[in-house]
Amino acid sequence: MTTTTDPSAGGFDLYDPELPSRLHRAFDVLREEDPVHPTGDGRWLLTRYDDVQEILKDRTRCGTDIHAVRGYDETRPFGAGSDLERVQEGLLINLPDVEHKRVRGAFTKPFTRHNVEAQVTALVEGLVDELFAALPDEGEVDWVDAVARPMPARVFQALFGLPEDDLERLLGLLHEDTVAIDVLLSPDLVAPDDLDRAGAAFLQLRADIDALARARHAGAATGTDMLSFLLTQHDAGRLSWDDVLTQAMEALAAGTSTTMTLLAGMVEAFAQHPDQWDRVRADASLIRPAVEESLRWVSPALSMGRVAMVDFELHGTTIRAGDVVQCGVLPANRDPRVFADPHAFDVGRGATPRPDGGKGAPGQAGAAHVAFGGGTHVCLGAHVARLEARVVLERLRERYARITMDPDAAALHPTLLIRTYRSLPVTFHAAEAPAGRAAA
């Protein structure tokens, strides 16, 4: 099938500079007309929920070791055999099954739901309360600068024992790397200078983490932070030194950029849907469902990549072994076959059955979002992100009767694969009587 690239028709063109501002309209077209969309030679984008969910979990037709097969594309944008590509190959999201099981198994314990709730809740609550103390009872703030950006950064600074006076510089390096990640959709999407700058930033971040890890490893006392935990796994022979550095970097990147987008997008959603804010204000039991709906509605990661291990067909399109398949998380989470009125923000969505009559998610009538991926590669830091969003929402609910904003005020960075906010001006309106605090 062919898909129009006329912006006025909501078509899809990776090279249209206006695409980030109209992704949902473009994906609506693709989902109906071209669900297995070619984005380049041997690269495909899936947009339907059932296809995305299936391929994310598939361990027979598709794998995650994209570098070993294609280096993401024929031009090897990260440099064949380079230090940069070696680091990229070690990321959990890229590791083949055997290596993924080994590395994830050594690093899972701190990120289980039980451990996160037991060991991280007090930290998150303290940081949220500190940031909220600087917010006005009434008036406009840039939510990104005030809370969404510093909150996840400070959580991971504390969890990994990162130097506080160096945090802004580390975040800057992470941002440079994020700017170039669109190369995974197509090598022509990122200018050579941006790619060079991203590569240099990524390697500098690795060098910084390496220096920090070596200093901590040489210390007499064993720390309780997550970097020290990784070092104990290294000493026990479960992780290599490269594993330690790569997992620390990946956790820092995934735990800051995507959670920042979740916190910003959640507030934007409530500002745009005041009826849903009223529901949460009236019923604290909706806080956790509201976080899940925020994850679906925001979907910080546009897609997650897989590589075809065998030839197979999908909707009449032949995908060849070695082809890269981008599983469109954002369009899947807005699929009207699965989510009724998918562009609406509905904190009670879990009670709504799938429109197509398909099976709901465990414990709810409707489908589960795929914002954290699926299968064995589901996001390791999902419980930390959920905790941060929940505590932030609890405090907002207690303090503010209304959140409003100009519909066009949100400013996002012009990237596709990882969507991040530059700013989000919102106006807070104080509650006459605070809403009750939700039970933990």
Side-chain angles (χ1 to χ4, degrees):
M1 294 182 181
T2 58
T3 301
T4 177
T5 57
D6 176 7
S8 64
F12 189 85
D13 178 3
L14 279 174
Y15 304 100
D16 176 6
E18 300 300 317
L19 181 60
S21 67
R22 56 178 189 80
L23 273 175
H24 295 302
R25 283 185 293 138
F27 284 146
D28 285 347
V29 174
L30 281 192
R31 203 184 294 110
E32 298 307 313
E33 298 183 7
D34 195 11
V36 184
H37 180 71
T39 63
D41 181 32
R43 288 185 293 273
W44 308 92
L45 176 65
L46 310 184
T47 50
R48 291 185 181 174
Y49 178 91
D50 286 342
D51 297 336
V52 167
Q53 186 188 52
E54 181 181 352
I55 295 300
L56 284 174
K57 294 180 178 179
D58 195 314
R59 300 172 69 180
T60 302
R61 292 177 297 172
C62 291
T64 55
D65 194 11
I66 300 175
H67 274 86
V69 179
R70 290 193 54 162
Y72 284 123
D73 59 64
E74 289 80 3
T75 62
R76 309 283 288 231
F78 293 112
S82 68
D83 288 342
L84 180 59
E85 186 172 63
R86 182 162 57 90
V87 174
Q88 292 282 338
E89 287 174 351
L91 298 176
L92 272 176
I93 56 174
N94 296 332
L95 286 176
D97 282 347
V98 173
E99 283 295 284
H100 179 268
K101 185 176 181 179
R102 174 185 65 82
V103 174
R104 188 178 178 115
F107 196 29
T108 295
K109 186 176 179 180
F111 290 102
T112 64
R113 178 174 178 174
H114 172 77
N115 282 340
V116 167
E117 294 285 349
Q119 300 175 19
V120 187
T121 299
L123 167 67
V124 170
E125 288 178 339
L127 290 173
V128 170
D129 288 343
E130 183 180 333
L131 291 171
F132 269 54
L135 295 179
D137 291 331
E138 293 267 359
E140 184 178 280
V141 299
D142 184 336
W143 176 250
V144 169
D145 286 344
V147 175
R149 185 174 185 270
M151 179 63 208
R154 293 184 64 182
V155 167
F156 271 80
Q157 182 270 327
L159 290 179
F160 279 84
L162 302 175
E164 189 167 353
D165 58 359
D166 207 26
L167 188 58
E168 282 300 316
R169 192 179 68 83
L170 294 179
L171 290 175
L173 294 174
L174 284 171
H175 174 72
E176 288 292 341
D177 178 54
T178 302
V179 165
I181 205 168
D182 282 352
V183 74
L184 307 187
L185 287 172
S186 175
D188 299 330
L189 283 176
V190 181
D193 287 348
D194 288 339
L195 194 60
D196 289 343
R197 204 161 45 247
F202 198 90
L203 291 177
Q204 183 59 56
L205 182 63
R206 184 182 187 274
D208 289 349
I209 298 295
D210 180 70
L212 184 64
R214 290 187 185 280
R216 195 158 300 171
H217 197 233
T222 301
T224 58
D225 60 273
M226 289 188 182
L227 181 56
S228 295
F229 177 83
L230 286 170
L231 291 170
T232 64
Q233 298 300 294
H234 166 71
D235 291 343
R238 299 186 185 97
L239 295 176
S240 70
W241 190 259
D242 276 352
D243 290 333
V244 170
L245 303 184
T246 301
Q247 299 321 309
M249 293 170 64
E250 185 171 14
L252 180 62
T256 53
S257 297
T258 53
T259 306
M260 180 272 280
T261 299
L262 169 61
L263 296 180
M266 179 175 70
V267 166
E268 182 182 16
F270 277 115
Q272 293 182 4
H273 299 81
D275 59 322
Q276 300 304 303
W277 182 246
D278 290 341
R279 292 179 69 184
V280 171
R281 283 271 300 164
D283 184 358
S285 71
L286 288 173
I287 288 175
R288 288 178 187 264
V291 170
E292 297 307 310
E293 175 67 349
S294 298
L295 283 159
R296 182 200 72 85
W297 196 81
V298 177
S299 297
L302 184 151
S303 72
M304 298 180 184
R306 296 291 187 266
V307 62
M309 306 306 294
V310 296
D311 293 356
F312 66 95
E313 285 206 359
L314 191 61
H315 298 297
T317 296
T318 300
I319 296 174
R320 304 290 184 187
D323 284 0
V324 173
V325 180
Q326 291 289 344
C327 298
V329 170
L330 182 64
N333 281 335
R334 300 288 185 103
D335 190 336
R337 295 167 181 79
V338 177
F339 302 103
D341 195 7
H343 297 306
F345 182 73
D346 177 5
V347 298
R349 184 175 294 279
T352 304
R354 287 178 54 151
D356 63 4
K359 185 178 180 181
Q364 63 185 52
H369 64 76
V370 289
F372 288 125
T376 59
H377 285 262
V378 69
C379 177
L380 188 62
H383 295 306
V384 178
R386 285 185 168 109
L387 173 63
E388 291 184 50
R390 189 184 81 227
V391 175
V392 166
L393 184 52
E394 287 171 354
R395 299 301 188 266
L396 284 170
R397 174 182 172 273
E398 293 164 9
R399 187 166 174 183
Y400 297 111
R402 184 79 66 207
I403 305 169
T404 59
M405 62 175 286
D406 183 317
D408 300 317
L412 278 75
H413 288 288
T415 53
L416 287 167
L417 210 59
I418 300 294
R419 306 173 70 239
T420 55
Y421 286 73
R422 288 201 307 264
S423 65
L424 184 69
V426 298
T427 299
F428 290 123
H429 305 269
E432 293 182 5
R437 180 162 292 192

